[in-house]
Amino acid sequence: MITEGNMWLNDTIGVVPKNSWAIDPFGYSPTMAYLLRRMGFENMLIQRTHYELKKELALQKNLEYIWRQNWDAEESTDIFTHMMPFYSYDIPHTCGPEPAICCQFDFARMHGFNYELCPWGEHPVEINHENVQERALKLLDQYRKKSTLYRTNTLLVPLGDDFRYINIDEAEAQFRNYQMLFDYINSNPSLNAEATFGTLEDYFGTLREEVDRINYSLPGEVGSGQIGGFPSLSGDFFTYADRQQDYWSGYYVSRPFFKAVDRVLEQTLRASEIMMALLHGYCQRAQCEKWATGFAYKMTAARRNLALFQHHDGVTGTAKDHVVWDYGTRMHTSLQDLEIFMSKAIEVLLGIRHDKSDHNPSQFESEQVRSKYDVQPVHKAIGAREGTSQSVVFFNPLEQGREEIVMLIVDRPDVTILDSNWTCVTSQVSPELQHGKSKIFTGRHRVHWKASVPAMGLQTYYVANGFVGCEKAKPAKLKYFSTSNSFSCPAPYDCSKIGGGVAEIQNRHQTLTFDIKHGLLRKVTHKDGSINDVGEEIGMYSSYGSGAYLFKPNGDAQPIIEAGGHMVISEGLMVQEVYSYPKTTWEKTPISHSTRIYNGDNTVGELLIEKEYHVELLGQDFNDRELIVRYKTDLDNRRIFYSDLNGFQMSRRETYDKIPMQGNYYPMPSLAFMQGSNGKRFSVHSRQSLGVAGLKEGWLEIMLDRRLLRDDGRGLGQGVMDNRPMNVIFHILFESNISSTSNPVSNPLPLSPSLLSHCVGAHLNYPLHAFVAKNPQELSMLPPPRSFSPLAAPLPCDLHIVNFKVPRPSKYSQQLIGDSRFVLILQRRHWDTSYCQNCYSQCTSVANKPVNLFNMFKELEVLNVKATSLNLLHEDIEMLGYMEQVGDVGQEGHVFISPMEIQAYKLVLRPHQ
């Protein structure tokens, strides 16, 4: 998203930015520092960090520092960072430590403007020859006091806030009055100061000139070779508190429905960009190129709509209702556009039709349909009539081939699955379930089978009815528990009642045990006989002080599940599932959930537990309530756990008694895990951003949704009451290490996920995209095998393609054939080697040796490879800090990427002659 903005700036006004200004995000991640450094940025400015932390850094004169990644021993990720010192970034809180005085120098608050007067009682007055001396000395006193918090003699004083400079008179008033003050200061050498207007670039440039002349380093301080005089610091700035004990951990979960849509748009956009690049690479005919280029403006709009939602009041869930509507409709429009594009692109890549014009409708449509911007997608039912088949095409956006159990909805259970060669595929059918007490079954059916889809490729399957010589999908067996007698068994399934107090489902790796009365997961027994407690609990906080930003609970969360409710167990060849519609105090329970385990040799899915929570925090019964799920495991983790930052790196989290509970809540964009002293690890991968805590030993707690009546005084001016029904999906993993590992208690550095854990996260966040033929075809007409496999071989399984795209699709045809019209962005994942590398057989290699990009594709020649910055605007790689460049990439195509690095390459591609 930064790339989109940086390229727009360069294309539009010829500017390549190098200073980052981010005053309003609520806490900061070092991932941003890493990305900016690798984009060629030199300096950053930040503001919202914990007030106690600001105080500590100010005491040590460390508010300006070198931000370094915690894995970096070579100083290659260093970026200079300025932290603003006070409560806010507005004028009362930027000239110095006394807001009542600084406010007097906000000349837009004079009478005649529309801004509020100073709340401290003394207001600004026009500067004139009579008062200029007194006013200048008062302002300079604030500047001097502020300067004592920093090391250098160069001081930054921002002048403005979010809603300023809306007319020329206001800008003129600020300029006119400050110019008089500056003229007075600058014309009096005895004041020993010079004041001037400037940009961020002026500030950082002046500061760097000063530190080149004067060494401000303290004795024994670890600094940086990049810029002297400052300490280097590592880590993140979560969780933010601005005053008292007001921790901003509520926004980690606010508006979770749209946090989920954000991720769907993100992975759909990436899949579309990969398809666009493959189209341009493989289909070099003019009409093909013209069609793809014609879609470019919608691709750009999708990038910008996604980027817009990354605003600190967008994905955070802290916008007003009508703004949420705007964000939601933009993302919805882009999702629909991208799905139409992908449905047409698969026809071209599969060679079904070549004469593509944008006006011809596709034969395919997305298997999931979103009718509105604020409702969950629904699966399209395949209506397989007798004697017909319907084709389904899967696109795999990952760089490794994948075998996994897939699911489609059919409106009748007697179907057969066939692969692209019309060979029989073993399959299972089970009833579709829904959130409901009286009507759990929808009347439709879910068909599961093991699909195999090549890396970044396409594979076709057929759902047929009446195909002779193949077994039909095998119906699952159903078991049920219900306190009412209204359960009716759907055809064609066998049903039996569950007896006893516990129920189990199992595959060859694990057995899951449930408490029947409450419908909750209790323990997991592994194939080696070892047992882990899980102790699933669903609870709610009451919180009258919480709002969109703040989490302020009144006491601990209380369990809400009572004995009773409904449970359905579905046991099939491919999937075993426990569905629970629990009994709660409320007539309409706010949550139901499914737990699934999969069978399927060599699939990642058979090693994990899938949890799907359907959440409906709707209606006034749930006002000022916050819904959580808690896993009370038996791991002795000493209240230490790890949560991810931006899906890129892990951060160590320790639960502290000295701060309130809400301060021990942390962001969980995609993963949290904890580890016991015996090396046993419990990981929860999430398909959307949420908040996580580890309040007691062995506990991992994740907030699912929150509904809040009141504004919390941080500028939104409303509560959060627009909750939508939604599904939250977790993939849970128990792992045991195979070699000794560092002690998480004594090791301050974060641990890394295992290779398997990385793989589970990738499968969850980059799912297969399924497209279904709009019309069935007669079984008498068997089309030829249809698949598409662009990679010569799967990449090593710790090497991830962040993206493969045409960065300027609208200008593609105007560029010369020899231009670098394609970009490949690669990430080398760091993984914990004390866990098994070969846990599943699809992982055949890791990136310990260089990868040859020239040989990456089948039937596509890579003619040239050129390393570039992550925003694609710099080709001087040394200025970006990268340590290892193996050989001449351009001549040999060999790239070696160090663990934790992301590297971009511009490619020249053409089909084999």
Side-chain angles (χ1 to χ4, degrees):
M1 300 306 121
I2 308 172
T3 302
E4 179 70 19
N6 283 194
M7 289 177 74
W8 180 88
L9 274 174
N10 193 33
D11 291 349
T12 311
I13 54 175
V15 167
V16 178
K18 62 180 183 180
N19 303 300
S20 165
W21 167 270
I23 54 170
D24 218 7
F26 328 133
Y28 294 86
S29 163
T31 304
M32 198 68 190
Y34 171 80
L35 294 173
L36 290 169
R37 176 77 175 95
R38 297 292 187 252
M39 287 181 176
F41 281 67
E42 295 171 4
N43 309 293
M44 297 175 69
L45 181 145
I46 63 176
Q47 149 63 15
R48 288 193 185 273
T49 59
H50 197 300
Y51 59 92
E52 289 285 1
L53 184 91
K54 286 191 187 225
K55 197 191 321 183
E56 178 63 26
L57 292 175
L59 280 169
Q60 310 299 327
K61 294 195 175 186
N62 287 344
L63 285 164
E64 289 183 317
Y65 61 91
I66 306 301
W67 204 345
R68 180 176 299 163
Q69 301 304 312
N70 57 31
W71 67 81
D72 175 17
E74 312 286 342
E75 303 185 8
S76 77
T77 59
D78 290 2
I79 186 166
F80 183 72
T81 308
H82 171 99
M83 186 188 294
M84 292 166 64
F86 303 128
Y87 168 75
S88 179
Y89 48 74
D90 60 2
I91 296 172
H93 296 93
T94 45
C95 91
E98 295 165 82
I101 294 173
C102 290
C103 194
Q104 297 169 38
F105 295 91
D106 183 359
F107 298 101
R109 293 182 195 248
M110 293 189 298
H111 292 285
F113 292 105
N114 291 325
Y115 300 107
E116 67 169 350
L117 297 174
C118 289
W120 297 273
E122 287 199 56
H123 308 298
V125 293
E126 185 78 28
I127 304 298
N128 55 39
H129 291 294
E130 283 74 47
N131 68 9
V132 66
Q133 179 179 5
E134 181 268 332
R135 294 276 86 194
L137 294 178
K138 203 166 187 88
L139 180 63
L140 196 54
D141 181 56
Q142 290 297 303
Y143 288 177
R144 284 214 172 97
K145 285 172 177 169
K146 182 178 182 178
S147 73
T148 63
L149 307 179
Y150 293 93
R151 298 187 178 197
T152 72
N153 291 313
T154 307
L155 185 69
L156 177 69
V157 183
L159 189 73
D161 66 41
D162 311 48
F163 307 106
R164 290 308 183 91
Y165 305 111
I166 56 175
N167 62 54
I168 195 75
D169 293 341
E170 178 198 340
E172 180 57 39
Q174 300 281 28
F175 176 76
R176 180 179 67 245
N177 284 285
Y178 270 96
Q179 193 62 62
M180 280 195 79
L181 293 164
F182 291 172
D183 288 347
Y184 179 83
I185 292 167
N186 296 341
S187 62
N188 284 277
S190 62
L191 296 177
N192 202 22
E194 181 188 351
T196 181
F197 291 105
T199 62
L200 208 53
E201 170 61 20
D202 293 328
Y203 171 69
F204 285 124
T206 307
L207 177 129
R208 282 172 176 267
E209 281 171 24
E210 183 184 342
V211 298
D212 281 347
R213 288 183 281 107
I214 306 167
N215 182 9
Y216 288 103
S217 295
L218 300 180
E221 183 172 79
V222 176
S224 170
Q226 191 205 115
I227 174 171
F230 301 95
S232 67
L233 300 178
S234 294
D236 64 274
F237 295 104
F238 296 109
T239 288
Y240 170 57
D242 58 346
R243 60 182 188 233
Q244 289 137 354
Q245 293 199 320
D246 288 358
Y247 282 88
W248 295 40
S249 49
Y251 82 84
Y252 301 153
V253 188
S254 298
R255 270 52 177 263
F257 178 92
F258 293 102
K259 285 175 162 66
V261 174
D262 169 71
R263 287 276 266 282
V264 174
L265 178 55
E266 188 183 307
Q267 44 100 344
T268 307
L269 175 62
R270 175 181 171 277
S272 300
E273 292 195 304
I274 289 171
M275 276 197 177
M276 174 77 85
L278 292 170
L279 275 175
H280 279 302
Y282 281 90
C283 173
Q284 299 262 332
R285 290 177 303 283
Q287 67 268 40
C288 200
E289 196 176 287
K290 187 178 171 193
W291 167 68
T293 306
F295 185 78
Y297 74 98
K298 287 189 175 175
M299 193 79 89
T300 301
R303 272 205 291 263
R304 292 179 183 179
N305 286 336
L306 179 61
L308 192 67
F309 192 61
Q310 305 317 304
H311 184 273
H312 60 259
D313 286 317
V315 69
T316 52
T318 52
K320 289 183 185 291
D321 289 345
H322 68 276
V323 181
V324 173
W325 173 86
D326 184 64
Y327 280 134
T329 48
R330 286 171 181 270
M331 291 197 289
H332 179 67
T333 300
S334 288
L335 266 175
Q336 290 187 308
D337 287 343
L338 294 173
E339 283 169 352
I340 289 168
F341 166 75
M342 289 173 77
S343 68
K344 293 184 172 185
I346 60 177
E347 292 188 317
V348 182
L349 294 172
L350 289 175
I352 294 172
R353 278 202 291 183
H354 300 299
D355 57 330
K356 291 307 303 160
S357 83
D358 204 29
H359 308 297
N360 291 349
S362 168
Q363 297 175 22
F364 293 93
E365 59 193 335
S366 176
E367 181 269 330
Q368 292 195 37
V369 183
R370 287 173 184 268
S371 59
K372 272 176 71 203
Y373 82 98
D374 62 349
V375 299
Q376 292 270 86
V378 294
H379 292 281
K380 198 166 181 53
I382 295 177
R385 289 186 287 106
E386 181 75 33
T388 67
S389 73
Q390 212 146 339
S391 47
V392 183
V393 178
F394 292 101
F395 174 61
N396 171 15
L398 288 181
E399 53 288 318
Q400 280 96 31
R402 61 209 264 182
E403 293 197 338
E404 69 183 63
I405 305 296
V406 295
M407 188 275 290
L408 289 179
I409 298 295
V410 288
D411 58 14
R412 48 194 290 176
D414 50 344
V415 294
T416 302
I417 304 298
L418 302 137
D419 68 14
S420 178
N421 298 314
W422 292 86
T423 307
C424 314
V425 176
T426 306
S427 58
Q428 166 198 327
V429 69
S430 53
E432 185 186 34
L433 306 170
Q434 65 185 356
H435 176 80
K437 183 156 63 174
S438 55
K439 189 167 186 265
I440 289 175
F441 302 111
T442 65
R444 307 194 306 176
H445 306 269
R446 298 187 295 200
V447 60
H448 288 90
W449 73 94
K450 186 165 92 169
S452 179
V453 191
M456 286 169 65
L458 297 161
Q459 189 59 264
T460 308
Y461 285 87
Y462 299 96
V463 180
N465 187 330
F467 190 81
V468 180
C470 279
E471 276 190 55
K472 290 183 176 173
K474 195 168 176 54
K477 288 188 163 57
L478 304 184
K479 296 176 184 170
Y480 67 92
F481 168 82
S482 178
T483 45
S484 69
N485 295 317
S486 59
F487 185 88
S488 57
C489 186
Y493 304 98
D494 288 336
C495 298
S496 60
K497 201 158 185 174
I498 304 169
V502 296
E504 291 184 344
I505 54 172
Q506 66 182 57
N507 64 13
R508 64 185 183 135
H509 292 279
Q510 51 198 350
T511 301
L512 276 49
T513 305
F514 295 82
D515 159 12
I516 290 173
K517 285 205 174 87
H518 298 87
L520 296 166
L521 179 60
R522 286 288 163 246
K523 64 180 182 180
V524 176
T525 307
H526 308 283
K527 68 176 176 185
D528 64 2
S530 63
I531 297 173
N532 277 106
D533 293 337
V534 176
E536 182 183 19
E537 181 177 288
I538 294 168
M540 264 189 198
Y541 289 99
S542 290
S543 37
Y544 303 110
S546 289
Y549 303 88
L550 304 186
F551 174 36
K552 296 188 83 171
N554 310 320
D556 193 11
Q558 298 305 310
I560 62 168
I561 307 298
E562 300 173 356
H566 306 270
M567 185 191 248
V568 176
I569 300 180
S570 165
E571 295 178 330
L573 287 171
M574 306 283 168
V575 187
Q576 315 254 316
E577 175 174 12
V578 173
Y579 168 82
S580 173
Y581 184 94
K583 184 176 189 294
T584 61
T585 312
W586 304 281
E587 175 59 29
K588 190 155 175 36
T589 195
I591 188 166
S592 61
H593 54 106
S594 289
T595 312
R596 303 183 192 102
I597 52 174
Y598 294 91
N599 300 324
D601 292 352
N602 307 327
T603 62
V604 177
E606 68 176 350
L607 301 167
L608 57 86
I609 301 164
E610 182 169 278
K611 282 292 321 188
E612 180 167 4
Y613 296 94
H614 180 86
V615 178
E616 294 196 4
L617 213 58
L618 313 175
Q620 59 191 24
D621 282 348
F622 305 111
N623 288 352
D624 293 321
R625 301 294 185 112
E626 309 187 56
L627 180 69
I628 59 139
V629 61
R630 192 178 270 168
Y631 302 108
K632 297 170 155 181
T633 76
D634 50 4
L635 268 61
D636 58 336
N637 69 322
R638 306 277 186 93
R639 299 199 300 173
I640 293 163
F641 70 100
Y642 302 83
S643 65
D644 74 300
L645 294 164
N646 316 81
F648 174 63
Q649 58 180 305
M650 302 305 295
S651 189
R652 183 183 189 271
R653 308 298 186 193
E654 190 164 346
T655 299
Y656 297 104
D657 293 324
K658 64 186 176 184
I659 60 173
M661 180 206 298
Q662 56 268 31
N664 285 304
Y665 245 86
Y666 291 96
M668 176 187 167
S670 66
L671 171 63
F673 67 77
M674 50 188 181
Q675 185 171 317
S677 59
N678 61 356
K680 184 73 105 174
R681 194 179 274 191
F682 176 80
S683 306
V684 181
H685 290 268
S686 172
R687 205 172 61 173
Q688 69 188 80
S689 297
L690 295 164
V692 65
L695 302 176
K696 294 192 179 173
E697 179 160 281
W699 287 19
L700 202 65
E701 164 178 323
I702 301 162
M703 194 178 286
L704 301 176
D705 201 359
R706 51 207 310 263
R707 181 180 181 84
L708 307 158
L709 271 174
R710 295 168 191 81
D711 177 56
D712 52 13
R714 295 309 189 273
L716 179 56
Q718 62 161 82
V720 179
M721 305 287 286
D722 56 349
N723 305 67
R724 272 89 174 171
M726 56 151 205
N727 294 343
V728 177
I729 294 186
F730 297 145
H731 281 176
I732 295 173
L733 207 53
F734 275 103
E735 295 176 280
S736 299
N737 58 11
I738 51 169
S739 61
S740 61
T741 182
S742 65
N743 183 350
V745 177
S746 59
N747 181 7
L749 290 176
L751 302 179
S752 293
S754 67
L755 204 50
L756 174 63
S757 188
H758 277 305
C759 188
V760 168
H763 280 226
L764 185 60
N765 279 296
Y766 304 104
L768 292 171
H769 294 260
F771 292 86
V772 183
K774 291 175 184 172
N775 299 309
Q777 58 206 27
E778 297 300 319
L779 280 174
S780 53
M781 300 165 58
L782 301 187
R786 295 202 193 279
S787 64
F788 171 70
S789 180
L791 296 190
L795 292 190
C797 51
D798 55 347
L799 201 60
H800 169 55
I801 294 179
V802 177
N803 212 339
F804 172 50
K805 64 180 181 177
V806 174
R808 291 187 170 87
S810 57
K811 299 190 170 118
Y812 181 86
S813 47
Q814 298 153 26
Q815 294 170 289
L816 299 170
I817 296 293
D819 286 349
S820 303
R821 298 191 285 187
F822 297 83
V823 166
L824 180 70
I825 305 169
L826 295 170
Q827 173 195 354
R828 174 98 179 270
R829 293 185 172 123
H830 185 266
W831 53 282
D832 190 329
T833 53
S834 64
Y835 290 82
C836 156
Q837 177 186 330
N838 306 313
C839 278
Y840 67 106
S841 62
Q842 283 174 288
C843 179
T844 51
S845 66
V846 291
N848 293 330
K849 53 182 193 287
V851 172
N852 190 337
L853 298 189
F854 283 8
N855 303 336
M856 188 172 159
F857 298 98
K858 283 183 208 162
E859 298 164 27
L860 266 188
E861 259 184 294
V862 178
L863 301 175
N864 188 268
V865 178
K866 198 185 302 175
T868 181
S869 60
L870 295 186
N871 61 2
L872 316 183
L873 297 177
H874 299 280
E875 290 179 6
D876 175 6
I877 297 303
E878 279 184 29
M879 70 166 284
L880 306 173
Y882 287 109
M883 292 306 293
E884 298 197 52
Q885 286 296 307
V886 178
D888 185 342
V889 178
Q891 296 306 307
E892 299 169 16
H894 288 291
V895 301
F896 180 82
I897 301 177
S898 302
M900 292 307 298
E901 290 288 7
I902 303 175
Q903 171 74 72
Y905 299 95
K906 293 181 178 176
L907 308 182
V908 179
L909 282 180
R910 72 168 183 214
H912 277 304
Q913 300 299 309

